[in-house]
């Protein structure tokens, strides 16, 4: 009943609220209700079907570009791929000018409410302020061509609802809610003076929904179920250390196998899965044995571990951690050494993923680093030296959509993501560029992306 009331509220006129949040500059770019590029109707969808013609099609599967086809969109989904010679009546025609039409991009490791702030701001600012910044950044993320993100930790429930209801513009969000961490784990942000923890005590980062501490199977089960109660699409558990961790070294292994299994059981009972933050072989292998379906990072995996991932069909969510000019600057020598180690491991990981056939997706993991946000597309393009460009692009489109199939029905979406095919969600980009040669055009989305459609709604149109 409450969901129905919310939908009615949206359809009866959220435009004024969204216009205030988007602002005149955003509307000029085609973000939000009132933008010149948004079609008529309460949800911004065109009133009649739209047929995209005169295009070269990248369908999201990684194969060569296809020609001789047009793409027909009805409502929020793709109705059909239609031969160019076939007549379609009562449809608006959009001439793509010979450009590439492709699925909207998917960032498979994103932090929607924590990407636009520094860690100090996240730990000290009022929580409503964090959400305001996140809403602004959501619009910018969409305008970079990212129509879907898989959120890997943070209090993104309100932002997801606002985007779904059309209050603000942004990518479709699949989210984990609070990251579940053991005491001393990668999500334990306490100061030394706050140890030990009193029974029932909750710290600021827990109250804000950034992460939550759990020790023992019963506590893990409770915390996982709490995130599912709040509406999580998947569960995030910390199974190893990190580069900048205050307490846990990168090679530490976190959560016992029974603890991991408790989280996996809670997620499976809800029809979804667990993802784990972990870098080293021992932690990855423990997570796989426990039933985890997605390894986040894993750049220090060895060949045995990669084979195990391939054999079990476990997803490898890799990030472009190359210790290059895009990397965060660390004053701590130990952190810099770990960063260099991860950089070498990233190249090895991509090689092993291809050699052993591990199902792989791409994500940025931009966290507490607002200066890196404009380069989101560049973080994908630069990996073309490690992978064929079309295959690489599939890791941010069709393959990412395959991963999201594990929770799409839980999210309530009627169509597949990341592909251009009949029945799929109408998340489309029209771009200047040739992805068969290079993905560099994604590094300058303001110029190269000429049309952005999400769920049948046009958010930018400069054809």
């Amino acid at each position: 009943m409450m969901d129905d009331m919310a939908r009615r509220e949206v359809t009866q006129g959220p435009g004024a609220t969204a216009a205030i949040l988007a602002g005149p500059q955003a509307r000029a770019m085609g973000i939000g209700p009132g933008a010149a590029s948004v079609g008529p109707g309460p949800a911004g969808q065109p009133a009649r079907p739209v047929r995209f013609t005169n295009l070269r099609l990248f369908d999201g599967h990684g194969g060569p570009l296809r020609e001789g086809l047009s793409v027909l969109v009805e409502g929020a989904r793709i109705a059909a791929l239609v031969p160019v010679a076939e007549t379609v009546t009562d449809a608006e025609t959009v001439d793509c000018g010979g450009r590439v039409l492709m699925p909207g991009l998917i960032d498979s490791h994103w932090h929607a409410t924590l990407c636009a702030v520094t860690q100090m701001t996240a730990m000290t600012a009022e929580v409503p302020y964090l959400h305001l910044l996140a809403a602004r950044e959501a619009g910018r993320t969409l305008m970079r061509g990212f129509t879907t993100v898989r959120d890997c930790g943070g209090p993104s429930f309100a932002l997801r609802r606002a985007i779904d209801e059309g209050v603000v513009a942004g990518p479709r969000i699949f989210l984990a809610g609070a990251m579940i961490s053991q005491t001393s784990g990668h999500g334990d942000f306490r100061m030394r003076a706050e140890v030990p923890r009193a029974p029932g005590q909750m710290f600021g980062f827990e109250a804000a929904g950034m992460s939550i501490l759990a020790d023992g199977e019963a506590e893990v089960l409770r915390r996982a179920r709490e995130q599912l109660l709040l509406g999580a699409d998947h569960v995030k558990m910390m199974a190893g250390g990190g580069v900048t961790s205050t307490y846990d070294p990168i090679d530490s292994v976190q959560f016992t196998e029974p603890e991991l299994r408790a989280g996996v059981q809670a997620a499976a009972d809800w029809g979804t899965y667990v993802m784990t933050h972990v870098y080293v072989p021992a932690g990855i292998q423990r997570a796989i044995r426990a039933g985890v379906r997605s390894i986040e990072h894993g750049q220090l995996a060895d060949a045995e571990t990669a084979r195990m991932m391939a054999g079990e069909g476990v997803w490898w969510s890799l990030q472009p951690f190359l210790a290059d000019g895009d990397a965060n600057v660390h004053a701590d020598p130990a952190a810099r050494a770990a960063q260099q180690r991860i950089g070498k491991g990233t190249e090895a990981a991509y090689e092993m993923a291809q050699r052993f056939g591990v199902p792989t997706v791409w994500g940025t993991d931009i966290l507490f680093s607002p200066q890196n946000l404009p380069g989101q597309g560049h973080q994908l393009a630069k990996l073309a030296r490690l992978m064929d460009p079309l295959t690489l692009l599939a890791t941010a489109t069709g393959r990412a959509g395959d991963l999201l199939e594990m929770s799409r029905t839980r999210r309530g979406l009627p169509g597949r993501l990341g592909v251009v095919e009949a029945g799929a969600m109408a998340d489309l980009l029209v771009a200047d560029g040739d992805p068969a040669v290079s993905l560099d055009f994604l590094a300058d989305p303001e110029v190269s992306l000429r049309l952005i459609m999400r769920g049948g709604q046009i958010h930018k149109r400069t054809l």
Side-chain angles (χ1 to χ4, degrees):
M1 181 179 68
M2 293 176 67
D3 287 345
D4 183 64
M5 291 173 62
R7 283 192 292 270
R8 289 173 183 270
E9 178 182 353
V10 171
T11 57
Q12 290 169 3
T17 303
I20 293 171
L21 289 169
Q25 181 180 5
R27 290 195 298 275
M29 295 173 64
I31 300 176
S37 63
V38 176
Q45 291 176 343
R48 59 195 179 110
V50 176
R51 183 182 186 182
F52 294 92
T53 64
N54 190 14
L55 56 88
R56 295 175 296 144
L57 176 64
F58 175 76
D59 61 15
H61 293 295
L65 300 184
R66 302 166 65 184
E67 299 189 11
L69 294 170
S70 63
V71 178
L72 182 65
V73 172
E74 293 184 7
R77 292 196 284 172
I78 297 170
L81 303 187
V82 184
V84 292
E86 187 173 316
T87 300
V88 176
T89 59
D90 193 32
E92 175 191 352
T93 297
V94 175
D95 187 334
C96 297
R99 298 178 177 89
V100 170
L101 183 142
M102 56 181 280
L105 296 169
I106 300 172
D107 192 323
S108 292
H109 195 115
W110 190 245
H111 294 277
T113 51
L114 302 176
C115 63
V117 295
T118 65
Q119 184 168 349
M120 181 60 70
T121 300
M123 300 297 289
T124 59
E126 300 90 337
V127 173
Y129 177 71
L130 303 182
H131 290 300
L132 288 170
L133 293 183
R136 182 181 67 176
E137 191 55 45
R140 294 174 176 175
T141 304
L142 179 61
M143 298 308 290
R144 292 192 289 268
F146 291 88
T147 53
T148 299
V149 295
R150 188 174 69 132
D151 193 290
C152 296
S156 302
F157 295 102
L159 177 62
R160 181 184 66 181
R161 176 177 177 178
I163 292 172
D164 287 352
E165 294 179 356
V167 177
V168 298
R172 184 180 296 102
I173 299 177
F174 286 70
L175 59 81
M179 302 169 276
I180 303 175
S181 169
Q182 69 172 44
T183 294
S184 78
H186 193 56
D188 189 343
F189 297 113
R190 290 176 295 169
M191 301 294 104
R192 296 180 67 86
E194 295 173 323
V195 179
R197 166 189 196 148
Q201 185 178 13
M202 180 173 285
F203 295 94
F205 62 88
E206 294 180 294
M210 297 178 192
S211 66
I212 193 78
L213 301 184
D215 295 290
E217 298 168 59
E219 192 67 14
V220 168
L221 198 62
R222 178 192 301 273
R223 297 311 185 191
R225 286 172 173 171
E226 286 173 347
Q227 299 313 307
L228 293 165
L229 177 153
L230 293 172
D233 302 299
H234 47 257
V235 173
K236 170 76 173 290
M237 296 183 69
M238 301 305 211
V243 173
T244 58
S245 299
T246 304
Y247 311 115
D248 54 322
I250 197 167
D251 58 348
S252 63
V253 179
Q254 300 173 16
F255 281 127
T256 64
E257 191 170 322
E259 286 175 320
L260 289 169
R261 286 187 182 278
V264 167
Q265 184 65 62
D269 288 346
W270 234 249
T272 187
Y273 67 99
V274 169
M275 62 166 70
T276 53
H277 163 107
V278 62
Y279 283 101
V280 297
I284 298 171
Q285 292 184 23
R286 178 182 291 182
I288 294 172
R289 288 193 302 269
V292 167
R293 302 303 304 157
S294 178
I295 299 299
E296 307 301 310
H297 316 314
Q299 276 91 344
L300 300 181
D302 55 17
E304 177 189 356
T305 304
R307 287 192 190 95
M308 185 176 180
M309 293 172 69
E312 296 294 330
V314 172
W315 286 93
W316 202 347
S317 174
L318 282 169
Q319 298 72 42
F321 296 160
L322 295 170
D324 55 11
D326 298 317
N328 293 332
V329 178
H330 300 298
D332 181 12
R336 290 199 302 270
Q339 191 176 59
Q340 291 295 323
R341 185 182 175 195
I342 294 297
K344 294 178 181 178
T346 297
E347 298 195 21
Y350 270 99
E351 187 278 326
M352 287 190 293
Q354 295 173 83
R355 174 158 45 108
F356 297 118
V358 183
T360 305
V361 294
W362 167 91
T364 54
D365 192 24
I366 298 176
L367 176 67
F368 303 140
S369 304
Q371 73 279 2
N372 291 338
L373 291 167
Q376 189 177 7
H378 164 69
Q379 296 274 14
L380 175 64
K382 72 180 184 180
L383 292 173
R385 67 182 179 86
L386 303 178
M387 184 179 283
D388 167 74
L390 291 175
T391 305
L392 174 62
L393 188 55
T395 68
T397 52
R399 289 189 185 176
D402 290 340
L403 183 157
L404 293 175
E405 279 296 293
M406 291 193 294
S407 55
R408 177 175 65 83
T409 54
R410 176 59 53 202
R411 183 73 169 81
L413 290 176
R416 290 179 62 88
L417 296 163
V419 292
V420 182
E421 60 186 38
M425 299 302 297
D427 297 349
L428 302 172
L429 308 177
V430 177
D432 288 319
D434 187 351
V437 177
S438 168
L439 302 186
D440 287 345
F441 65 95
L442 297 176
D444 191 8
E446 186 173 350
V447 174
S448 66
L449 298 186
R450 307 298 294 273
L451 181 140
I452 299 173
M453 170 181 276
R454 195 202 73 128
Q457 178 178 354
I458 296 175
H459 289 267
K460 176 182 179 180
R461 183 172 179 176
T462 61
L463 292 169

